[in-house]
Amino acid sequence: MAKVIDSKIPAGPVPEKWKEYKAHQRLVNPKNKLKLDVIVVGTGLAGASAAASLGEMGFNVINLCIQDSPRRAHSIAAQGGINAAKCYQNDGDSVYRLFYDTVKGGDYRAREANVYRLAEVSNNIIDQCVAQGVPFAREYGGMLANRSFGGAQVSRTFYAKGQTGQQLLLGAYSSLSCQVKAGKVKLYTRYEMEDVVIVDGRARGIIAKNLVTGKLERFSANAVVIATGGYGNTYFLSTNAMGCNCTAAVQCYRKGAYFANPSYVQIHPTCIPVHGDKQSKLTLMSESLRNDGRIWVPKKIEDAQALQQGKKQGWEIPEEDRDYYLERRYPAFGNLVPRDVASRAAKERCDKGFGVNNTGLAVFLDFSESINRLGIDIVMQRYGNLFEMYQEITDVFPGEKANVINGVQYYKPMMIFPAVHYTMGGIWVDYELQTSIPGLFAIGECNFSDHGANRLGASALMQGLADGYFVLPYTIQNYLADQAIWGKIGTDRPEFDEAEKAVNAEIDRLLNIKGKRSVDSIHKELGHIMWEYVGMGRTAEGLKTGLKKMHELEKEFDSNLFVPGTKEGLNIELDKAIHLRDFFTMGQLVAFDALSRNESCGGHFREEYQTEEGEAKRDDENYFYVGCWEYQGKGNEPTLIKEPLEYEAIKVQTRNYKN
Ligand SMILES: Cc1cc2nc3c(=O)[nH]c(=O)nc-3n(C[C@H](O)[C@H](O)[C@H](O)COP(=O)(O)OP(=O)(O)OC[C@H]3O[C@@H](n4cnc5c(N)ncnc54)[C@H](O)[C@@H]3O)c2cc1C
């Protein structure tokens, strides 16, 4: 009999749940006579907004990040925008519609009530950020501008050119700085959480490494919040920042926090293709480009072959010989189908030999039609910095005139291909964002979040800021209210001694392997295994092979790793080795989950389960649940625990983006 998980969702029809819940919440004394301490790990959009809000509410916050400034968190990479149901375009948008699109976009694998709450607070986020001075793009008349992202037929994405994440983070950072000045938030930059400390079954502190001195330090608090981002870098090559890692989340998992839906990994369709084996990073070309860019490959295989051999260029192929395959297959949504659908369609074309670069692993993203329609100035206003970024990396400027065929002007297109981008899976949390360890909360990309099996574009920032500004600051109080009677826990307790000793022992173990292989060489190999066997198309056979290969490589890591330097002072290789140790645990977890889920849904595509047209084939009868995994020790298969999904407001059906 599977364990039953209490997700603490209040009873009642969905739209009422959050309101009823808000009415019942118990506010801890906002003037903070109680002196309650909260540790927030992470200063991305989720962490910075939570730390600022908790500080504002009167809690004493300890806020840590691995970068030298909160402003350098990975969230600044976010380009395209943030969703909200404001309906400024008068195009029929509503809270319900955003809720519906998100549930459908996630292939009916998200918790319905959570998504409703997310849609409901989405509008507050925009107001909050505008009040902070975030320079969202505006229409000529002064209204905030919107554009469309995948999986929606309305324009609800707010943006700041191609730098939305950076501008939002600057807004959150200014609120955070205000609380730092007020003495409510104490900021620790260049600190990395290595372990969570559990006292009497509750999270009561963390062990963190000062990345500059190498020293381990102890922090205690009444509750711990992790906001440490996703695990996309398990695949080595991804669009995530180099520093993104899953050490904090995996360590919480090892200490008993369930890890939910790890196999739901998002492969983004519009990234600059891999161009050699010396690469350590992939670059995203924002989904916003699909508003005006059209994706195509040649209709004729001989044209594709000529492109692959460098004998022809894209702009030499006339309109009638182009296959705008997304528009052809999905007339209702066209280029704006969700990411999982667009990525699979690109793979299908390339697998059939229609790829457009020398590796055959690329498709075109072309702006000729929009430049001809709107003019280059307007297109540059919308996507200027993305065009420049593309040019800097590839030496091709996508707005450059290249050819005229039958009186039609053609411009140089971008080349794109799918790449690992975002992880929908993460630490399991209940409706209050509390993990299965009391007192430990997870927010932002590091929780299993509200996106089900696939996240729609511009929804990660929405969820991170919803968690940080509007959900956690309220829900955490239900836990803290009962904590008020407990004084501050001393860091001299045996639980802290034990945790620090274990972290130290691990560091010594890694340094003393003294083998021959660098961290990066092993990580790159792990990435190849992940992409090949646990990537876009998975099979039971392939997943088993992947698991076996990961096991063997982990043995190589444990016996032949070389970490130069010592544990004193700055040692980036040592930090990377710690991250890689945890990417191994994560990679295996993704594979176990993918193997157990005998269906295709969203970002999890099992080749055995597809329709005749190559679409994902879900199995709602057997897999309509959140798959939560409980750690059972290194090398052992984790235990699967199911949280059944319950839908009241939305009818579960097959996703359709065709009509
Ligand atoms: C190129 C790119 C473009 C994107 N564009 C968009 C977009 O347009 N719209 C959208 O909605 N989403 C977008 N996303 C996704 C979105 O940016 C992320 O999902 C989101 O920013 C994650 O925020 P976060 O706060 O959860 O984590 P992060 O921003 O990853 O922050 C993690 C924080 O945790 C800290 N940390 C990590 N580990 C530790 C540790 N062990 N100890 C201490 N601190 C730690 C880090 O220092 C950092 O401060 C994009 C993603 C990428 C890669």
Side-chain angles (χ1 to χ4, degrees):
M1 176 72 180
K3 270 192 204 172
V4 176
I5 298 185
D6 176 13
S7 52
K8 290 197 190 153
I9 299 175
V14 167
E16 294 307 318
K17 277 179 183 157
W18 178 232
K19 285 180 202 142
E20 184 188 318
Y21 183 79
K22 274 196 202 163
H24 286 156
Q25 78 199 5
R26 285 166 291 169
L27 279 178
V28 173
N29 184 347
K31 295 278 178 277
N32 197 28
K33 300 261 167 38
L34 298 170
K35 300 251 182 307
L36 289 168
D37 302 329
V38 181
I39 295 171
V40 178
V41 187
T43 60
L45 276 170
S49 55
S53 304
L54 290 169
E56 174 96 30
M57 292 169 108
F59 297 105
N60 299 318
V61 182
I62 295 164
N63 189 201
L64 306 90
C65 69
I66 55 179
Q67 288 85 7
D68 54 356
S69 160
R71 287 169 302 156
R72 290 195 172 78
H74 162 65
S75 288
I76 60 159
Q79 302 169 349
I82 175 167
N83 287 333
K86 286 280 196 191
C87 194
Y88 282 168
Q89 306 304 318
N90 250 335
D91 51 6
D93 202 7
S94 63
V95 165
Y96 185 86
R97 194 160 177 175
L98 173 52
F99 158 60
Y100 176 83
D101 286 347
T102 308
V103 169
K104 177 183 171 191
D107 218 350
Y108 302 91
R109 288 290 178 266
R111 233 190 242 148
E112 201 187 46
N114 286 50
V115 182
Y116 187 83
R117 177 176 69 186
L118 175 67
E120 204 182 26
V121 300
S122 68
N123 291 337
N124 304 12
I125 298 171
I126 302 303
D127 297 342
Q128 166 96 357
C129 296
V130 168
Q132 286 169 345
V134 172
F136 284 122
R138 288 179 186 266
E139 308 283 4
Y140 183 70
M143 291 283 280
L144 296 187
N146 293 121
R147 52 192 178 199
S148 302
F149 265 56
Q153 286 173 315
V154 292
S155 270
R156 62 161 74 103
T157 304
F158 294 76
Y159 63 99
K161 217 174 181 183
Q163 305 168 341
T164 315
Q166 182 173 15
Q167 298 306 329
L168 291 171
L169 191 58
L170 287 173
Y173 177 68
S174 51
S175 295
L176 183 65
S177 301
C178 200
Q179 295 310 314
V180 171
K181 181 142 195 299
K184 297 312 296 177
V185 176
K186 196 151 181 353
L187 197 57
Y188 292 84
T189 58
R190 310 235 57 193
Y191 273 73
E192 177 160 303
M193 168 180 161
E194 305 294 352
D195 202 359
V196 56
V197 180
I198 315 280
V199 179
D200 294 335
R202 292 166 188 271
R204 289 309 216 120
I206 63 166
I207 305 294
K209 181 167 177 269
N210 179 326
L211 297 175
V212 178
T213 64
K215 285 212 168 64
L216 294 180
E217 295 182 25
R218 304 171 180 196
F219 297 88
S220 79
N222 298 87
V224 177
V225 180
I226 61 164
T228 48
Y231 52 89
N233 277 352
T234 309
Y235 288 76
F236 188 67
L237 283 184
S238 85
T239 62
N240 290 189
M242 294 292 287
C244 289
N245 69 89
C246 55
T247 286
V250 166
Q251 203 51 34
C252 293
Y253 163 64
R254 290 198 187 103
K255 283 286 178 83
Y258 301 154
F259 208 104
N261 295 336
S263 65
Y264 295 162
V265 173
Q266 178 163 86
I267 316 249
H268 196 298
T270 60
C271 304
I272 299 182
V274 178
H275 57 71
D277 63 0
K278 300 280 182 288
Q279 233 175 318
S280 52
K281 185 93 324 280
L282 292 174
T283 307
L284 174 79
M285 286 288 105
S286 168
E287 178 164 315
S288 59
L289 293 166
R290 288 200 266 148
N291 273 261
D292 289 305
R294 299 175 73 195
I295 295 178
W296 66 278
V297 293
K299 275 184 186 158
K300 298 179 193 156
I301 193 78
E302 47 288 13
D303 277 346
Q305 284 159 355
L307 289 166
Q308 288 158 17
Q309 291 156 10
K311 292 180 184 158
K312 211 171 208 176
Q313 301 295 337
W315 53 86
E316 292 169 330
I317 298 175
E319 195 61 20
E320 60 273 20
D321 290 337
R322 297 177 172 202
D323 175 17
Y324 295 98
Y325 57 87
L326 290 177
E327 297 170 33
R328 168 171 59 78
R329 285 180 66 176
Y330 308 99
F333 283 71
N335 292 292
L336 283 172
V337 286
R339 293 172 180 176
D340 56 330
V341 177
S343 291
R344 266 197 295 282
K347 182 173 182 295
E348 187 273 337
R349 284 294 78 193
C350 292
D351 286 351
K352 292 256 163 69
F354 289 91
V356 299
N357 67 353
N358 57 347
T359 62
L361 297 175
V363 299
F364 286 127
L365 176 61
D366 199 306
F367 295 85
S368 297
E369 187 274 331
S370 54
I371 296 174
N372 287 335
R373 176 169 40 90
L374 301 165
I376 185 73
D377 289 347
I378 300 263
V379 172
M380 283 302 283
Q381 264 174 32
R382 291 181 186 171
Y383 314 108
N385 70 319
L386 299 172
F387 278 27
E388 281 155 19
M389 196 196 299
Y390 186 84
Q391 184 181 24
E392 220 165 87
I393 294 168
T394 64
D395 207 23
V396 171
F397 182 65
E400 187 179 326
K401 282 184 192 168
N403 201 5
V404 180
I405 311 174
N406 298 332
V408 179
Q409 179 75 58
Y410 290 94
Y411 297 79
K412 291 189 174 174
M414 288 183 179
M415 279 188 197
I416 50 158
F417 196 67
V420 171
H421 176 65
Y422 180 87
T423 50
M424 282 74 67
I427 293 289
W428 180 87
V429 286
D430 62 18
Y431 191 64
E432 303 188 349
L433 304 182
Q434 187 166 214
T435 71
S436 47
I437 299 175
L440 178 66
F441 293 77
I443 58 173
E445 191 175 338
C446 84
N447 73 21
F448 87 106
S449 81
D450 305 341
H451 309 296
N454 170 62
R455 172 175 73 80
L456 290 184
S459 292
L461 302 182
M462 173 173 69
Q463 178 235 332
L465 289 180
D467 287 0
Y469 283 134
F470 297 110
V471 183
L472 178 93
Y474 299 98
T475 59
I476 199 173
Q477 297 184 37
N478 278 346
Y479 175 76
L480 289 173
D482 296 334
Q483 287 298 299
I485 49 165
W486 302 100
K488 199 174 155 83
I489 285 241
T491 55
D492 51 355
R493 288 180 64 103
E495 291 86 350
F496 279 88
D497 293 344
E498 210 177 291
E500 186 179 321
K501 218 164 107 195
V503 173
N504 235 327
E506 267 300 282
I507 290 175
D508 289 340
R509 179 180 77 85
L510 295 172
L511 283 165
N512 288 329
I513 296 173
K514 296 196 190 307
K516 293 200 163 39
R517 292 194 58 181
S518 69
V519 177
D520 278 0
S521 80
I522 301 179
H523 193 176
K524 197 181 266 189
E525 205 174 321
L526 173 66
H528 282 145
I529 297 171
M530 291 299 292
W531 184 249
E532 178 85 19
Y533 301 102
V534 200
M536 269 176 90
R538 302 160 174 177
T539 61
E541 204 55 39
L543 288 164
K544 284 179 199 155
T545 310
L547 272 166
K548 194 162 159 274
K549 283 181 180 285
M550 274 190 257
H551 239 81
E552 284 158 12
L553 189 62
E554 196 176 20
K555 276 194 198 143
E556 170 82 353
F557 172 83
D558 285 335
S559 60
N560 199 17
L561 175 76
F562 175 67
V563 181
T566 63
K567 63 180 172 185
E568 285 82 33
L570 180 80
N571 189 342
I572 291 168
E573 283 303 300
L574 173 60
D575 299 332
K576 278 175 16 187
I578 295 170
H579 297 166
L580 182 53
R581 175 199 64 185
D582 301 327
F583 285 136
F584 271 110
T585 307
M586 197 60 237
Q588 290 166 47
L589 198 47
V590 175
F592 278 126
D593 190 39
L595 193 56
S596 80
R597 200 168 266 284
N598 294 316
E599 63 163 354
S600 294
C601 56
H604 166 63
F605 192 71
R606 282 279 299 271
E607 286 172 5
E608 306 97 317
Y609 307 101
Q610 53 182 309
T611 65
E612 274 171 16
E613 291 166 309
E615 306 292 351
K617 200 168 164 188
R618 283 197 333 251
D619 176 354
D620 292 335
E621 210 175 300
N622 295 302
Y623 296 95
F624 194 48
Y625 59 75
V626 176
C628 312
W629 295 89
E630 192 177 31
Y631 187 63
Q632 299 298 333
K634 186 172 171 175
N636 299 330
E637 186 170 341
T639 307
L640 176 63
I641 299 162
K642 300 173 185 175
E643 181 204 330
L645 290 166
E646 283 166 36
Y647 278 35
E648 294 167 15
I650 287 182
K651 183 166 173 268
V652 178
Q653 49 196 332
T654 304
R655 276 197 307 175
N656 175 7
Y657 292 102
K658 291 178 195 291
N659 42 48

